[in-house]
Amino acid sequence: MRRFLPRKRFPWPWLRRDATPNETSPLLPKVGAGSTNNAEELALVTTDFQAGTNSGQQHNSPTDARIDPWYSYSFMDYFLKYFFIICNLLFTVLGLLLLALGVWGLISKESFAQEKISSIGTDPMLVVLSVGFLLTVLCLSGCVGALRENRCLLKLFSATVLVLIAAQVIVAIVAHTLQDQIEGNLRSGMLVAIARYQDDLDLRFITDEIQSNLQCCGADNYRDWEINIYYNCSAPGVLACGVPATCCVDPLENGTVWNSQCGVGAQLLDEFTAQSVIFLGGCLGEISRWIEQHEGLIGIIVTVVFGVQILILFITIRLLERINRHKV
């Protein structure tokens, strides 16, 4: 093949030869008709060779695969990779904490006892345990997938995050559409919590936190506590016609000792007298008022959480693209 390719040489003076045909060069063709025929034959051979070369290139061009150069990670790729790993490690730790909290709550309340095992499905600590477990497994799979550059784990992680984002969008749309129904369900839930206040420690804790922090009493007003068998006026105990201490305006005597009997007999008082002892307003109105006052903060939190999920999904997709290019 090399003999057909033209080679250029530098015309050194000592390499120059006299190519003029004369009598002493019998092998060179004489100038005339013979030389003209030889030139035509040479041109014909050259044309055929070029045509064959071009046809060979056209024949081989569809099957020739382009070989890309070796791909190396950039600084941004490394930054995104380890930023992704650190974020997943932090969320993994958070998931483990929630998991430990859920297990501790179930064990401390003896929820696995034979007489309580039937109602474990309604235990709020089971929700905490489930969220912690799912968060730990999800973030751990993403972390291991990024460290090991495992495409299967990263695809599973990205698909799960995408499903969570879609679910949150659907929940937000449904919640905005069914506001009245949600408020009715919230009222029913609070009345159930009031009725089971003495029997369920979790509902008691949640009710006390809401009433003490929002400075309210009952769902609509303080008289909602009549539905509780212990605070009903027909109850035989000392709590009859009373309310819990978290409804009191000042449950601490002398600012130091918690007075659990400060709400005893509060339902027998008229509203003017009772307002100096307990909070008269219900917690549903206070919850709505608190949401209205903190709309900006809630919007920022929702935007940040949603944005973090979008960012994590974008980083995962970029890592998958870089891993595919690097392995190919």
Side-chain angles (χ1 to χ4, degrees):
M1 186 67 182
R2 293 182 59 186
R3 61 178 179 173
F4 295 104
L5 298 177
R7 292 182 297 176
K8 293 184 179 181
R9 294 182 179 180
F10 189 80
W12 299 103
W14 57 83
L15 295 179
R16 292 182 180 179
R17 294 181 180 179
D18 187 10
T20 305
N22 50 34
E23 299 295 332
T24 61
S25 56
L27 297 180
L28 294 177
K30 301 296 186 295
V31 178
S35 62
T36 303
N37 294 334
N38 293 335
E40 292 176 356
E41 292 177 0
L42 181 60
L44 182 61
V45 171
T46 305
T47 304
D48 293 338
F49 171 73
Q50 292 178 352
T53 305
N54 294 334
S55 63
Q57 292 178 354
Q58 294 176 357
H59 178 71
N60 295 331
S61 59
T63 58
D64 290 341
R66 181 181 177 184
I67 301 176
D68 292 333
W70 180 73
Y71 178 78
S72 60
Y73 290 126
S74 63
F75 172 77
M76 183 57 66
D77 295 333
Y78 282 111
F79 173 77
L80 292 177
K81 177 180 178 180
Y82 289 104
F83 176 77
F84 178 81
I85 292 172
I86 291 173
C87 289
N88 277 276
L89 283 177
L90 293 177
F91 282 108
T92 301
V93 173
L94 177 61
L96 290 174
L97 291 176
L98 291 176
L99 185 63
L101 179 62
V103 173
W104 173 80
L106 292 175
I107 294 176
S108 62
K109 294 189 302 180
E110 299 180 354
S111 299
F112 297 105
Q114 186 175 1
E115 61 274 6
K116 296 182 179 180
I117 195 67
S118 59
S119 61
I120 193 173
T122 59
D123 198 319
M125 284 299 174
L126 187 63
V127 177
V128 176
L129 187 145
S130 301
V131 171
F133 176 76
L134 293 176
L135 184 63
T136 301
V137 172
L138 177 62
C139 295
L140 197 59
S141 64
C143 184
V144 174
L147 280 174
R148 302 292 300 173
E149 296 186 356
N150 190 307
R151 287 177 288 185
C152 293
L153 287 177
L154 289 177
K155 288 180 180 179
L156 177 63
F157 178 84
S158 60
T160 307
V161 173
L162 185 61
V163 170
L164 289 176
I165 293 174
Q168 292 171 23
V169 172
I170 293 173
V171 168
I173 295 174
V174 172
H176 181 73
T177 307
L178 304 175
Q179 290 183 1
D180 296 335
Q181 186 175 354
I182 292 175
E183 184 176 354
N185 293 333
L186 182 61
R187 183 178 183 277
S188 301
M190 290 197 66
L191 291 176
V192 170
I194 291 173
R196 299 175 57 187
Y197 179 80
Q198 299 288 350
D199 302 325
D200 195 316
L201 295 179
D202 294 320
L203 293 179
R204 181 174 182 174
F205 173 78
I206 295 172
T207 304
D208 287 341
E209 288 296 317
I210 293 175
Q211 291 188 148
S212 60
N213 291 325
L214 297 181
Q215 297 182 353
C216 56
C217 188
D220 297 317
N221 53 61
Y222 69 99
R223 297 195 181 276
D224 289 333
W225 284 97
E226 293 179 359
I227 64 175
N228 187 283
I229 59 175
Y230 298 98
Y231 292 100
N232 189 278
C233 291
S234 60
V238 68
L239 299 178
C241 286
V243 294
T246 51
C247 288
C248 296
V249 175
D250 186 15
L252 297 177
E253 290 184 353
N254 300 324
T256 56
V257 181
W258 180 269
N259 182 13
S260 60
Q261 305 294 327
C262 63
V264 172
Q267 296 184 37
L268 298 175
L269 304 176
D270 59 279
E271 292 187 358
F272 181 78
T273 307
Q275 66 180 355
S276 60
V277 180
I278 61 174
F279 301 112
L280 303 181
C283 293
L284 286 178
E286 294 298 328
I287 290 175
S288 300
R289 191 175 297 107
W290 184 89
I291 292 176
E292 292 176 358
Q293 292 176 352
H294 298 83
E295 283 183 352
L297 179 61
I298 295 173
I300 292 174
I301 294 175
V302 171
T303 304
V304 169
V305 172
F306 195 77
V308 167
Q309 295 177 73
I310 295 292
L311 178 63
I312 292 296
L313 182 62
F314 168 76
I315 294 176
T316 308
I317 295 174
R318 184 180 175 91
L319 285 177
L320 281 171
E321 292 177 354
R322 294 301 182 267
I323 291 172
N324 288 333
R325 291 185 61 182
H326 183 70
K327 290 189 175 183
V328 167

